[in-house]
Amino acid sequence: MLTVNQRSYRAPKQPTVVVCVDGCEPDYLAQAVATGHMPWLKRTLAEGTGIVADCVVPTFTNPNNLSIVTGAPPSVHGICGNYLYDTASGTEVMMNDPKWLRAPSLLAALADGGHQVAVVTAKDKLRRLLGHGMQGTCFSSEKADQATQQEHGITGVPELVGMPVPDVYSAALSEFVFAAGVQLMKKHRPDVMYLSTTDYVQHKHAPGTEGANAFYAMMDRYLGQLDALGCVIAVTADHGMNAKVGMDGQPDVIYLQDWFDRAIGPGKARVILPITDPYVVHHGALGSYATVYLPAGTPTAQFVSQLQHLRGMEVVLDREAAARRFELPPDRIGDLVCVSERFTVIGTSRERHDLSGLDAPLRSHGGISEQKVPLIVNRRIPGLDPQRRWRNFDAFDLALNHAQ
Amino acid sequence: MLTVNQRSYRAPKQPTVVVCVDGCEPDYLAQAVATGHMPWLKRTLAEGTGIVADCVVPTFTNPNNLSIVTGAPPSVHGICGNYLYDTASGTEVMMNDPKWLRAPSLLAALADGGHQVAVVTAKDKLRRLLGHGMQGTCFSSEKADQATQQEHGITGVPELVGMPVPDVYSAALSEFVFAAGVQLMKKHRPDVMYLSTTDYVQHKHAPGTEGANAFYAMMDRYLGQLDALGCVIAVTADHGMNAKVGMDGQPDVIYLQDWFDRAIGPGKARVILPITDPYVVHHGALGSYATVYLPAGTPTAQFVSQLQHLRGMEVVLDREAAARRFELPPDRIGDLVCVSERFTVIGTSRERHDLSGLDAPLRSHGGISEQKVPLIVNRRIPGLDPQRRWRNFDAFDLALNHAQ
């Protein structure tokens, strides 16, 4: 038995694969299964275990991937966005650096316990966080050809996978993750593998559409291969995905920095969009979650009440209430947390968002409306309580403690 | 000035058309506009007025159509479903009969005021309610060939429209409504016209799909023709529409009669699904709203609390709380009102739902998740407060009092 972040895990008896499908709103699976695109998943849901679980708010990639591999919410692991206002330095910084991590991962603990561990991510931004402190194989599709034995525990990845390194904006970037997973399992048979894709397809294609169904059919084939190799497989997601447009087809945006600039003067408040990262072409840095830093000593109650009534706003909480409700580290979320509704996103200032890269109606995430995610295991688990609140970060618990 | 149900309306100066697009989730328009299928609407949203409004819960056809034509919620007009448990007779009955109406319609008042009024509905079930007490033209696509001067104020409808009477389960049933509207406007030029379609297409096709875009492109062409005829046009909807399936693609159903049968004994409680009507093939009588009649004297608090925690349930209210929150007639909603979440529907007993007619993954409505609807006027209306809560039953107010 291993104990990590106050949760205990059994050692794997069979090769165990946890898959985080980026942006996998459960309806993607529903529509693909209903129309015959996912025969493996259809059988797995009938014979195994399928739960709709809650992910972590903010419903972004990094906080949720870290929750899955630590088995804990951001209040424990510290990663509450891709992007942070560092009050110590007074600058806005990426949270890619492992220095922001406050908890060890189960992956590192398993490797320390003598288990062979492999991690494949689509984008390189996640790799360093996921692989922090871990002995084993850890590389990204994005930089698969740059993997070295010393840093990534592997070389010659494109040759192993039999695919060229895909473009960072492509469905193939995720396919490479699955293909690599299957080849690693065939040739190295790791004890534990974590695969994490990118939501390029989900940002462009709605559930049930041709583009989405093709992606999920591809995923189904690879998962079927892993299953045939005898793996215990748990599939979950970092967050869902929704259309974020008004009736005119344009992004429906609350420009929150503009709102504060009008309310208390230009630049007095600082609105942070933790969805921001170097890859914003497909969503223009627009998501349904923002944090706000107010001038020191500003009372928050009045803003909470005013913002709460803005059209398209779902909930506005002060630091303490947000930290409690969403299990976030209070020192990293500013004075206010704002969450917009299903069809609405939050921006900073109108002129700071470049939407010229959007070649399809905006789809994005970040809010409570993207909190439902799949939690699927290819084993029947008797006695699961369907009424309790399951989380995506229960995936390793189900896979290691209940499925084998 | 006319006053109906305590709201005042100006007489129309230009021909005025209010359109209720059945099941028109705003995202249908967003995706169709974004992909070039609705050029008239794109221009209208840029040059006129576009609001996302709230319809009435239960988000069903009859309550909302009656709200639109009375300018009032169901607490005033009395129609709170398609289907009702008549406690007086101890039987379950359709609410199609005008005897259930508790308020006059604006349509009848306009006709009484000397204005020429025309009403076209897709299905005949709505016609009698909408035309109650009204002098003028009032017919359905479904029975267009049976219209008589005496009862419907018109004959020879298929000849006027130039289309055969469509099948009741078809997109053409709604197209016939628009085509009839255009021909009526060309040949009879009524002062006020109310057009109400059916959601056959929306029950089958998600926003942005080919089937949906084709429907909205068709609608856009007819609305453009009405606009070219000089009409003031207000477009709204009775309710939205969402996928209602689990990850296995099958309807995600809370069988509420079964739940009560287990909890307090078979048949003790009576679960009513007010979505029920004679046309249930496309949704199997499954929607996100149910009412429950309990044995006399049963305390409700315990059930409210238990049901509220069921997976997929959004809110459970006792009679008083439901009547207050949703503006419903308390004597017609039973002891409990249950509303399920976006992807979940409520059924009675498992064996009483025939889902064999479902030839596509279930899409349905009834809940709070289907409350957002378009409210669009082809005139710019200066000074509208975008922060107030607009309702679909403000459509005639906007069209008559603000748009001309």
Side-chain angles (χ1 to χ4, degrees):
Chain A
M1 293 286 280
L2 269 172
T3 298
V4 182
N5 301 318
Q6 305 186 310
R7 300 180 73 161
S8 296
Y9 301 90
R10 290 197 203 131
K13 291 181 205 148
Q14 300 155 64
T16 299
V17 184
V18 172
V19 184
C20 176
V21 186
D22 197 350
C24 188
E25 157 62 42
D27 200 34
Y28 281 112
L29 304 180
Q31 302 298 326
V33 167
T35 49
H37 290 85
M38 302 191 82
W40 175 81
L41 184 61
K42 183 176 182 178
R43 196 173 62 245
T44 298
L45 288 169
E47 299 172 2
T49 302
I51 301 167
V52 175
D54 279 349
C55 71
V56 163
V57 174
T59 52
F60 293 139
T61 293
N62 287 10
N64 276 285
N65 269 275
L66 270 296
S67 281
I68 296 168
V69 302
T70 61
S75 54
V76 173
H77 63 65
I79 306 297
C80 52
N82 303 333
Y83 195 72
L84 174 83
Y85 180 55
D86 179 16
T87 49
S89 67
T91 54
E92 301 179 19
V93 293
M94 296 296 299
M95 279 179 100
N96 287 358
D97 196 296
K99 76 174 180 184
W100 299 105
L101 265 173
R102 290 175 169 168
S105 81
L106 172 59
L107 301 170
L110 283 162
D112 287 345
H115 303 286
Q116 203 191 331
V117 180
V119 175
V120 188
T121 66
K123 292 181 184 171
D124 206 59
K125 69 173 178 179
L126 249 183
R127 183 189 55 84
R128 282 177 69 205
L129 285 172
L130 289 176
H132 183 60
M134 188 197 100
Q135 298 296 316
T137 303
C138 182
F139 63 90
S140 68
S141 302
E142 182 184 356
K143 301 197 173 170
D145 55 346
Q146 297 168 40
T148 62
Q149 197 66 45
Q150 191 181 350
E151 184 168 351
H152 307 88
I154 192 167
T155 56
V157 174
E159 296 73 24
L160 173 81
V161 177
M163 276 176 73
V165 174
D167 189 84
V168 71
Y169 292 111
S170 71
L173 198 73
S174 293
E175 175 161 7
F176 194 97
V177 173
F178 291 119
V182 168
Q183 293 307 320
L184 283 172
M185 191 52 67
K186 275 186 182 164
K187 291 167 188 162
H188 301 189
R189 207 162 175 86
D191 301 308
V192 173
M193 190 157 67
Y194 182 68
L195 305 177
S196 185
T197 68
T198 178
D199 55 7
Y200 172 82
V201 165
Q202 290 79 4
H203 270 290
K204 285 188 187 298
H205 302 282
T209 59
E210 213 174 305
N213 285 341
F215 179 88
Y216 284 98
M218 173 276 289
M219 177 171 114
D220 198 73
R221 288 191 297 273
Y222 286 107
L223 293 178
Q225 291 178 53
L226 288 171
D227 197 352
L229 290 167
C231 300
V232 171
I233 304 171
V235 178
T236 188
D238 51 354
H239 54 76
M241 186 72 75
N242 277 306
K244 299 286 181 183
V245 287
M247 291 184 292
D248 61 358
Q250 297 303 304
D252 184 25
V253 190
I254 298 170
Y255 287 105
L256 201 56
Q257 184 69 52
D258 289 342
W259 188 93
F260 274 103
D261 287 356
R262 283 192 304 271
I264 59 172
K268 299 280 189 197
R270 185 185 287 259
V271 173
I272 300 290
L273 305 179
I275 195 176
T276 310
D277 75 9
Y279 317 79
V280 299
V281 172
H282 53 313
H283 54 61
L286 293 169
S288 290
Y289 178 94
T291 62
V292 186
Y293 290 80
L294 297 170
T298 311
T300 56
Q302 180 200 342
F303 293 119
V304 168
S305 148
Q306 287 177 4
L307 291 169
Q308 181 71 68
H309 287 92
L310 285 187
R311 174 160 287 276
M313 195 65 91
E314 179 156 348
V315 67
V316 178
L317 300 168
D318 65 21
R319 182 198 311 266
E320 264 185 49
R324 201 168 46 239
R325 174 158 173 191
F326 301 132
E327 299 174 273
L328 298 172
D331 57 324
R332 294 183 177 174
I333 57 171
D335 300 296
L336 297 174
V337 164
C338 303
V339 181
S340 60
E341 288 179 351
R342 174 176 164 195
F343 285 101
T344 305
V345 284
I346 303 176
T348 55
S349 303
R350 189 179 288 270
E351 77 272 12
R352 279 167 58 189
H353 289 272
D354 176 12
L355 306 182
S356 63
L358 288 176
D359 56 3
L362 180 66
R363 301 176 55 73
S364 194
H365 53 94
I368 298 166
S369 44
E370 291 81 38
Q371 197 173 13
K372 299 280 186 208
V373 291
L375 182 55
I376 297 166
V377 184
N378 67 338
R379 296 286 187 275
R380 188 176 294 278
I381 303 178
L384 271 197
D385 175 4
Q387 299 298 337
R388 74 159 256 202
R389 186 190 189 202
W390 290 94
R391 307 301 300 268
N392 59 349
F393 58 81
D394 295 321
F396 274 103
D397 176 48
L398 286 184
L400 293 173
N401 295 334
H402 298 281
Q404 47 191 326
Chain B
M1 293 286 280
L2 269 172
T3 298
V4 182
N5 300 319
Q6 306 185 311
R7 299 180 75 159
S8 295
Y9 301 89
R10 292 198 201 128
K13 293 182 204 148
Q14 300 154 64
T16 299
V17 185
V18 172
V19 184
C20 176
V21 186
D22 197 349
C24 188
E25 158 61 42
D27 199 35
Y28 281 112
L29 304 179
Q31 301 299 325
V33 167
T35 50
H37 290 86
M38 301 191 81
W40 175 82
L41 184 61
K42 183 175 182 177
R43 197 174 59 246
T44 298
L45 288 169
E47 297 171 3
T49 303
I51 301 167
V52 175
D54 279 348
C55 71
V56 163
V57 174
T59 52
F60 293 138
T61 293
N62 288 11
N64 276 285
N65 270 274
L66 270 298
S67 282
I68 296 167
V69 303
T70 60
S75 54
V76 173
H77 63 66
I79 305 297
C80 52
N82 303 333
Y83 194 73
L84 176 82
Y85 180 56
D86 180 15
T87 49
S89 67
T91 55
E92 300 178 21
V93 294
M94 295 297 300
M95 279 179 100
N96 287 358
D97 196 297
K99 76 174 180 182
W100 299 104
L101 264 174
R102 288 175 170 168
S105 81
L106 172 60
L107 301 171
L110 283 161
D112 288 346
H115 303 286
Q116 202 190 332
V117 181
V119 175
V120 188
T121 66
K123 292 181 184 171
D124 206 60
K125 69 174 179 179
L126 249 183
R127 185 189 54 83
R128 282 177 68 205
L129 285 172
L130 289 176
H132 183 60
M134 187 196 101
Q135 298 295 317
T137 303
C138 182
F139 62 90
S140 69
S141 301
E142 182 184 357
K143 301 196 173 169
D145 55 347
Q146 298 168 40
T148 62
Q149 197 64 46
Q150 190 180 350
E151 184 167 352
H152 307 88
I154 193 167
T155 56
V157 174
E159 296 73 21
L160 173 80
V161 178
M163 276 175 73
V165 175
D167 188 85
V168 70
Y169 292 112
S170 72
L173 197 74
S174 293
E175 175 161 7
F176 194 98
V177 173
F178 291 118
V182 168
Q183 293 307 320
L184 282 171
M185 190 51 66
K186 276 186 181 164
K187 290 167 188 161
H188 300 188
R189 207 162 176 83
D191 302 306
V192 173
M193 190 157 67
Y194 183 68
L195 305 178
S196 186
T197 67
T198 177
D199 56 7
Y200 172 83
V201 166
Q202 289 79 2
H203 271 290
K204 285 187 185 299
H205 302 282
T209 59
E210 214 173 305
N213 286 341
F215 179 90
Y216 284 98
M218 173 275 289
M219 177 171 115
D220 198 73
R221 288 191 297 271
Y222 286 107
L223 294 178
Q225 291 179 53
L226 288 170
D227 197 352
L229 291 167
C231 301
V232 171
I233 305 172
V235 178
T236 188
D238 52 354
H239 54 75
M241 187 72 73
N242 277 306
K244 299 286 181 185
V245 286
M247 291 185 291
D248 60 359
Q250 297 302 304
D252 184 25
V253 191
I254 298 170
Y255 287 107
L256 201 56
Q257 184 70 51
D258 289 341
W259 188 92
F260 274 103
D261 288 356
R262 283 193 303 270
I264 60 172
K268 299 280 188 196
R270 186 184 286 258
V271 173
I272 300 290
L273 306 179
I275 195 175
T276 310
D277 74 9
Y279 317 80
V280 298
V281 171
H282 53 313
H283 53 62
L286 292 168
S288 290
Y289 178 94
T291 61
V292 186
Y293 291 80
L294 296 170
T298 310
T300 57
Q302 180 199 341
F303 293 119
V304 168
S305 150
Q306 286 176 5
L307 292 168
Q308 180 71 68
H309 286 91
L310 285 187
R311 174 161 285 277
M313 195 67 90
E314 179 156 349
V315 66
V316 178
L317 301 168
D318 65 21
R319 181 198 313 267
E320 267 184 48
R324 199 167 50 238
R325 172 159 174 189
F326 301 132
E327 300 173 272
L328 298 172
D331 57 325
R332 293 182 177 173
I333 57 172
D335 300 295
L336 297 174
V337 163
C338 302
V339 181
S340 59
E341 288 180 352
R342 174 177 164 195
F343 284 100
T344 306
V345 285
I346 303 176
T348 55
S349 303
R350 189 179 286 270
E351 76 271 12
R352 280 167 59 190
H353 289 273
D354 176 12
L355 305 182
S356 62
L358 289 176
D359 56 4
L362 180 66
R363 300 176 55 77
S364 194
H365 52 94
I368 297 165
S369 44
E370 290 81 37
Q371 197 173 12
K372 299 280 185 208
V373 291
L375 181 57
I376 296 166
V377 184
N378 66 340
R379 297 285 187 274
R380 189 176 294 278
I381 303 177
L384 271 196
D385 176 4
Q387 299 297 338
R388 74 160 256 201
R389 185 191 189 201
W390 291 94
R391 308 301 301 267
N392 59 349
F393 58 82
D394 294 322
F396 274 104
D397 176 49
L398 287 184
L400 293 172
N401 296 334
H402 298 280
Q404 48 192 323

